[in-house]
């Protein structure tokens, strides 16, 4: 399914031309318009899925191998020292384009900003309460 109002559907399917790092029947890998670092790319499925909760297993299972291959190319081809694989789901998680995508961000060891969160402490009681809620929902 494609969504006529979705910019990533148009980019993934070549309706809007864009520099393409990789393409096959299921995915197109494009460069982020506002890169965190040089070489920041997005893996887009060609079909429209709003986020990971909608992604069929056969599409989901192709994403990590592709991310690994691209990450390896960032190390050898761009001289990156590492890379982040980032995937946001929902506005609360920072998702701004509601067509599933995975960011691959090369890291050169010179960036000040990281993909960060503030580490908190958690009690054993709270942890088991959280685990119980999650297990029931699985
Ligand atoms: P999100 O915050 O949803 O995980 O990431 C969306 C990403 O898409 C952002 O990093 C943003 O720069 C990128 N982006 C938004 N619109 C376009 C576009 O039209 N073309 C490209 N190449 N990237 C886009
Ligand atoms: Zn879409």
């Amino acid at each position: 399914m494609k969504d006529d109002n979705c910019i990533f559907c148009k980019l993934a399917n070549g309706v809007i031309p864009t520099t393409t790092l990789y393409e096959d029947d299921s995915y197109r890998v494009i460069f982020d318009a506002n890169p965190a670092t040089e070489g920041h790319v997005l893996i887009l499925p060609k079909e429209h899925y709003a986020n990971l909760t909608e992604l069929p297993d056969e599409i989901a299972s192709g994403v990590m191998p592709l991310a690994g291959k691209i990450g390896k190319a960032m190390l050898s081809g761009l001289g990156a020292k590492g890379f982040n694989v980032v995937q946001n789901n929902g506005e609360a998680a920072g998702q701004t384009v509601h067509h599933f995508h995975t960011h691959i961000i090369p890291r050169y060891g010179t960036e000040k900003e990281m993909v960060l969160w503030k580490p908190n402490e958690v009690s054993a009681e709270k942890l088991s309460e959280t685990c119980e809620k999650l297990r029931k929902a699985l």
Side-chain angles (χ1 to χ4, degrees), residues 55-78:
L55 211 60
D57 287 357
E58 66 269 22
I59 298 298
S61 65
V63 172
M64 275 299 175
L66 193 48
K69 195 171 167 181
I70 294 164
K72 215 167 159 184
M74 287 169 169
L75 303 178
S76 66
L78 295 178

Side-chain angles (χ1 to χ4, degrees), residues 23-34:
E23 182 184 8
D24 62 25
D25 289 346
S26 304
Y27 313 95
R28 185 187 293 261
V29 180
I30 68 168
F31 288 85
D32 196 291
N34 300 107

Side-chain angles (χ1 to χ4, degrees), residues 7-8 11 18 30-35 40 42 88 94-98 101 103:
I7 181 81
F8 279 8
L11 290 162
T18 190
I30 68 168
F31 288 85
D32 196 291
N34 300 107
H40 177 173
L42 303 169
N88 300 323
Q95 187 179 11
T96 58
V97 181
H98 297 276
H101 54 278
H103 299 256

Side-chain angles (χ1 to χ4, degrees), residues 1-3 6-10 47-49 98-99:
M1 195 204 61
K2 322 288 190 241
D3 178 337
C6 173
I7 181 81
F8 279 8
C9 277
K10 294 190 172 84
E47 293 293 315
H48 182 88
Y49 308 104
H98 297 276
H99 172 127

